[in-house]
Amino acid sequence: MREQYDVIKMLQDMVRIDSCQPEGNEKQLINLIRDFFAPYSEDIVLTEIEHSENRSSLVIRIGPEVEGGLAFVGHLDTVSVGDRNKWAYDPHSAKLVEDTVYGRGAVDMKAGVAAMTVAALDYLKAGIKFEKPLYLIYTADEENGCQGARVIAESKLLGSAAAFVIPEPTDNKPAIAEKGLLWLRFHLEGQLAHGSKPEAGINAVEAAVDLSKLIKETVSVNLKHPLLGNFTLSVNRLEGGIMTNIIPAEALIEMDIRTLPEQNHDDLLELIDSCMNEVLEGYPGLVIRLEIIHNYPSLSSDENSDFIKRVQKYVREEGLPDNLCGMTYLTDAAALIPVHHKPFVIIGPGHESMAHQLNEAVKVASVHQALQIYKKIMKDLT
Ligand SMILES: [Zn+2]
């Protein structure tokens, strides 16, 4: 099938719309996408979900509302630009230099979103009908814990889609596993005292250090997954204290835990609870409050499913290596798969190491390859 829409131009249009966190403003991008689909309003069912002012997610169904079908899921928000002056080009100019498009979101993940959109539009323009439904899902607020995808997961909008494609950057390698994420914040409350009389206070900072060490020793296990590598736990924020001669009453710890498919988060939290109790015994009167910031399980898909085998074939046909891999980052799959329990593949243009970086960029050829792979995946619905 001939290409009808210019995927690179669409990618540039998308990068030029600022959808940086924390504001997101996904609504503007959704208006752009709606304009592209406007000529086909008779062939599609479009549902916009408004989360707040200027923040929406969008679900487009193409084809009949029957069992099965496929869902493509892309997020519209990007991380912030950081220091604008350190960029070689304006991060929202979408500058095309030789074979590369630069800009915030170029790789994570407007290239994938543009490719899935153009793949579907080409089928609509050619008048080819789907026998099974194709769902295009555009989510808001992914970089802040998959907020849009969570709302969609609980809705009935996805019917019973038989498989999911997540066009996040993998250099067009098929990834069938992703790490889980458990972000924890501990608030410790002790008792203030004069620095010369530590015994009169309850030292929240010392307790925070003890708790961090104990959790790291107790929870860190030597687990390794063939596609995802190691389980990791890191203490990334530790705050507390006022000055040298005051026994501090308050402290705060933040921990980033990345899990593997065989790990159960409830079991981990139980282990962490026992660590908290052990520390509390050593500091009578201390209070520890645990806040769970994010909690998403690790996922893996069955490598022997027909769907995954077909995706591998299409990747091979593009002259790319078809070996399966895993991604350490979180995707919207973390919100959708635990509800829908279907095979999924993460596959998209650009290199994942470019995501969230200064001078984020994607190669034109990589976007075209993704487009061809997506068209083949969609063709199975016709
Ligand atoms: Zn992303």
Side-chain angles (χ1 to χ4, degrees), residues 75 108-109 142-143 168:
H75 66 82
D108 184 11
M109 60 174 293
E142 187 265 2
E143 299 287 3
E168 292 263 14

Side-chain angles (χ1 to χ4, degrees), residues 177-374:
E178 70 176 52
K179 279 191 172 180
L181 178 153
L182 185 58
W183 286 3
L184 304 177
R185 185 179 292 137
F186 302 83
H187 303 264
L188 290 87
E189 260 184 62
Q191 173 70 52
L192 197 106
H194 191 282
S196 66
K197 287 197 169 65
E199 67 283 0
I202 304 166
N203 193 322
V205 167
E206 288 185 355
V209 171
D210 288 354
L211 181 62
S212 303
K213 273 169 87 174
L214 185 61
I215 291 176
K216 221 173 145 89
E217 284 163 13
T218 311
V219 178
S220 292
V221 281
N222 235 343
L223 276 181
K224 204 178 165 86
H225 184 273
L227 301 179
L228 293 170
N230 289 310
F231 162 79
T232 62
L233 182 154
S234 45
V235 179
N236 294 341
R237 207 170 149 214
L238 201 58
E239 272 182 25
I242 304 164
M243 59 191 289
T244 317
N245 58 357
I246 296 177
I247 302 300
E250 280 173 21
L252 177 142
I253 310 166
E254 282 184 13
M255 237 169 243
D256 184 347
I257 305 175
R258 305 291 173 134
T259 56
L260 304 177
E262 61 262 47
Q263 291 178 292
N264 179 311
H265 286 199
D266 289 339
D267 293 348
L268 278 179
L269 286 167
E270 222 169 275
L271 215 51
I272 286 166
D273 201 51
S274 70
C275 293
M276 283 163 56
N277 285 331
E278 201 178 318
V279 169
L280 286 171
E281 275 172 31
Y283 293 83
L286 181 76
V287 176
I288 308 176
R289 188 165 58 80
L290 170 60
E291 183 189 343
I292 299 174
I293 306 170
H294 288 305
N295 184 2
Y296 290 101
S298 178
L299 307 170
S300 66
S301 203
D302 177 9
E303 60 187 274
N304 295 312
S305 80
D306 279 356
F307 170 66
I308 301 297
K309 297 267 179 230
R310 283 202 306 275
V311 172
Q312 282 182 288
K313 177 171 165 272
Y314 304 146
V315 168
R316 273 197 305 279
E317 286 171 3
E318 284 306 303
L320 295 163
D322 69 345
N323 44 310
L324 299 170
C325 59
M327 288 291 139
T328 53
Y329 56 66
L330 183 87
T331 75
D332 275 335
L336 291 159
I337 300 304
V339 179
H340 287 265
H341 305 285
K342 295 289 160 52
F344 71 94
V345 65
I346 309 166
I347 183 164
H351 200 275
E352 63 272 21
S353 64
M354 266 285 158
H356 303 195
Q357 300 293 321
L358 289 173
N359 300 321
E360 183 178 342
V362 65
K363 295 245 186 264
V364 166
S366 184
V367 186
H368 282 290
Q369 273 169 344
L371 174 59
Q372 294 313 316
I373 295 166
Y374 297 163

Side-chain angles (χ1 to χ4, degrees), residues 17-286:
I17 294 173
D18 178 346
S19 59
C20 288
Q21 289 281 5
E23 293 84 8
N25 291 322
E26 294 89 351
K27 176 109 184 148
Q28 256 196 82
L29 266 166
I30 283 179
N31 289 341
L32 175 83
I33 294 162
R34 291 183 75 134
D35 283 348
F36 276 108
F37 283 96
Y40 312 107
S41 56
E42 307 226 314
D43 304 308
I44 65 174
V45 176
L46 191 148
T47 313
E48 185 169 336
I49 302 135
E50 290 194 10
H51 305 294
S52 61
E53 206 187 344
N54 289 324
R55 304 207 80 160
S56 305
S57 296
L58 180 71
V59 177
I60 297 176
R61 193 191 83 227
I62 309 173
E65 195 175 13
V66 295
E67 281 272 300
L70 269 179
F72 277 69
V73 188
H75 66 82
L76 300 176
D77 58 319
T78 70
V79 293
S80 73
V81 160
D83 186 349
R84 200 170 274 275
N85 298 319
K86 289 192 175 148
W87 285 70
Y89 311 106
D90 178 330
H92 292 115
S93 65
K95 200 168 168 67
L96 176 64
V97 183
E98 289 169 19
D99 60 348
T100 305
V101 177
Y102 289 84
R104 175 53 84 225
V107 78
D108 184 11
M109 60 174 293
K110 290 177 176 175
V113 168
M116 80 183 204
T117 305
V118 166
L121 283 168
D122 280 352
Y123 278 100
L124 287 167
K125 178 124 189 183
I128 298 169
K129 299 272 183 249
F130 291 128
E131 285 177 4
K132 300 260 176 166
L134 169 65
Y135 300 93
L136 300 177
I137 302 161
Y138 301 92
T139 64
D141 217 1
E142 187 265 2
E143 299 287 3
N144 181 35
C146 312
Q147 304 304 331
R150 278 167 53 169
V151 175
I152 290 167
E154 299 301 336
S155 76
K156 298 266 179 286
L157 289 167
L158 288 184
S160 53
F164 287 77
V165 180
I166 317 286
E168 292 263 14
T170 66
D171 233 359
N172 294 323
K173 292 184 301 247
I176 57 161
E178 70 176 52
K179 279 191 172 180
L181 178 153
L182 185 58
W183 286 3
L184 304 177
R185 185 179 292 137
F186 302 83
H187 303 264
L188 290 87
E189 260 184 62
Q191 173 70 52
L192 197 106
H194 191 282
S196 66
K197 287 197 169 65
E199 67 283 0
I202 304 166
N203 193 322
V205 167
E206 288 185 355
V209 171
D210 288 354
L211 181 62
S212 303
K213 273 169 87 174
L214 185 61
I215 291 176
K216 221 173 145 89
E217 284 163 13
T218 311
V219 178
S220 292
V221 281
N222 235 343
L223 276 181
K224 204 178 165 86
H225 184 273
L227 301 179
L228 293 170
N230 289 310
F231 162 79
T232 62
L233 182 154
S234 45
V235 179
N236 294 341
R237 207 170 149 214
L238 201 58
E239 272 182 25
I242 304 164
M243 59 191 289
T244 317
N245 58 357
I246 296 177
I247 302 300
E250 280 173 21
L252 177 142
I253 310 166
E254 282 184 13
M255 237 169 243
D256 184 347
I257 305 175
R258 305 291 173 134
T259 56
L260 304 177
E262 61 262 47
Q263 291 178 292
N264 179 311
H265 286 199
D266 289 339
D267 293 348
L268 278 179
L269 286 167
E270 222 169 275
L271 215 51
I272 286 166
D273 201 51
S274 70
C275 293
M276 283 163 56
N277 285 331
E278 201 178 318
V279 169
L280 286 171
E281 275 172 31
Y283 293 83
L286 181 76

